Amino acid sequence: MVIIKNNIQIDGIRRSSRLAAQTLNYLKDFIKVGITTEELNTLAHKYIVSHQAIPAPLNYGGFPKSICTSVNDVVCHGIPTPYQTLKEGDIINLDITTILDGYYGDVSSTYPVGRISPIAQKLIEVTKTSLNKSIKSLKPGRDINDCVGKVIQPFVEKNGFSVVRDLGGHGVGIKFHEDPFVFHFDNPREKIILKPGMVFTIEPMINASKNYQVTLDTNDNWTIRTFDGSLSAQFEHTILITPTGSEILTIL
Ligand code: MF3
Ligand code: CO
Ligand code: CO
């Protein structure tokens, strides 16, 4: 069941989402050759708790850190570690989820480390644009699949990339992961008609090859990688459906 949030809940989710966006904005300036993903995690953790909030990933289903740091072929759920130092040409996704006064906000972006290859640059741009195109199409009364999967998949594939199937966006706000599951590819299922007060993420994970398959790293049982070792990028926003369209909640 998709929860329709009331105004009090929307206010809380808006505040938490803004803090998540502010955390990401603060962190992005530390992305440099030589920093470790553990150091990024520590900076994020301190920033979030100093704003009277809780990093949602910490201990979520046993996740050991406060943010996800997904480098290069890591699709998502990368675990920060002192043994991983960023190097020139890497791409890194930082995924931040905050709990403020009990409300959740979820955001992520992918960044270059120093100078990156043209293909990595294109992957970041296409992924970000696919999310923005989808957001622009959101309107109450429309089917979610028409606004997300049917917008993102053709655009991504036209650019020679592929849409990860096994993971998707999700309702968010009262809990970390709520209904609905948001497919980023065209997926026929019972329609979900958008209504004002729905809050969910759109967070396409896009692989630089035509192979959309992923594999779970069984060393930690969290890290998801591309099957073929190709690069993967992701952008995520928490979005509210309004009477006239949508509002991105994870903005500064
Ligand atoms: N923030 C991720 C999402 O967008 C979920 C991370 S779950 C964790 O849904 F346990 F890895 F933190
Ligand atoms: Co999410
Ligand atoms: Co997230």
Side-chain angles (χ1 to χ4, degrees), residues 33-34 86-90 113-116:
V33 172
L86 297 186
K87 47 185 200 336
E88 185 90 18
D90 285 345
V113 181
R115 274 180 66 88
I116 62 174

Side-chain angles (χ1 to χ4, degrees), residues 95 97 106-107 168-170 172 176-177 201-203 234 236-238:
D95 194 330
T97 313
D106 193 3
V107 68
H170 51 93
V172 67
F176 199 160
H177 295 105
T201 72
I202 305 176
E203 48 181 301
Q234 180 179 27
E236 172 175 28
H237 273 307
T238 296

